[in-house]
Amino acid sequence: PPRAYTRNAMGETDNTVVYPPNGIIPFHGFSLYLAPMCFIWSDPVILYNVLKALYTRYFFRLHSLSSHPQGILSLCEQFETLLQTHQPQLFYHLREMGSHPLKHAFNWIMHAFAGYLDTSQLLLLWDRIIGYNTLEILPVVAVAIFAFRRNNLMEVSTPSEAEAV
């Protein structure tokens, strides 16, 4: 497997860092992408290949900063623009009380809603991502959730209450 060494310690085994063969270092929440697929496939080889295909085609863009139209920065901008355009009162209400809407939606988007939606809903969402070949559906779904919870969110007066909704 690929190895890296800390500075001035080349070749010393105590200062060696080993990377996975695929080069992707798992992050907190990475297993959230795998868990829903376990309801479809039980063979670990198939699971690995499907996860690899999804991650290298779509989900890697959610974990790297770039100016790509489907990168996390563009998706966050799209979320804010859509929410501000279609739910302006809600957007400004949340901003005025110090609860930025993107703070609540960022993890949803970054994890492609894994761990936030029911498994059947999540698989349907991912099916749309594959079908339309775009991640741009993620901010649309996030705005739809805010619109669905609009009445409750308009009644809150503190950021912690908004987080609870």
Side-chain angles (χ1 to χ4, degrees):
R3 296 178 185 274
Y5 300 94
T6 56
R7 289 185 193 189
N8 301 324
M10 191 63 130
E12 295 180 19
T13 57
D14 292 343
N15 297 316
T16 304
V17 178
V18 179
Y19 290 97
N22 61 9
I24 298 172
I25 300 171
F27 52 86
H28 178 71
F30 191 76
S31 62
L32 293 174
Y33 291 126
L34 182 63
M37 291 185 278
C38 291
F39 286 94
I40 301 172
W41 299 285
S42 60
D43 183 3
V45 174
I46 294 172
L47 281 168
Y48 172 77
N49 287 322
V50 171
L51 178 63
K52 181 176 77 170
L54 277 173
Y55 191 84
T56 57
R57 180 154 187 154
Y58 300 108
F59 299 148
F60 81 96
R61 296 198 186 282
L62 303 175
H63 306 281
S64 58
L65 297 178
S66 75
S67 60
H68 191 277
Q70 291 189 48
I72 189 70
L73 297 176
S74 297
L75 296 176
C76 289
E77 180 186 15
Q78 183 183 358
F79 166 78
E80 287 186 326
T81 302
L82 285 171
L83 188 63
Q84 192 171 6
T85 302
H86 296 285
Q87 298 289 332
Q89 292 174 327
L90 176 60
F91 181 83
Y92 289 111
H93 172 70
L94 292 171
R95 291 285 309 233
E96 284 178 8
M97 69 176 187
S99 178
H100 198 286
L102 183 59
K103 180 182 176 192
H104 305 289
F106 184 79
N107 281 336
W108 300 346
I109 296 169
M110 186 181 80
H111 290 110
F113 287 91
Y116 298 97
L117 291 178
D118 183 59
T119 303
S120 60
Q121 294 171 336
L122 181 66
L123 292 172
L124 286 171
L125 174 62
W126 288 1
D127 185 58
R128 300 309 186 277
I129 290 171
I130 295 167
Y132 289 107
N133 195 30
T134 183
L135 290 170
E136 293 175 351
I137 194 169
L138 296 175
V140 173
V141 172
V143 170
I145 290 171
F146 271 80
F148 181 75
R149 297 179 177 174
R150 181 184 191 282
N151 292 338
N152 293 337
L153 287 169
M154 290 299 287
E155 294 176 4
V156 301
S157 57
T158 65
S160 60
E161 289 175 349
E163 183 72 33
V165 172

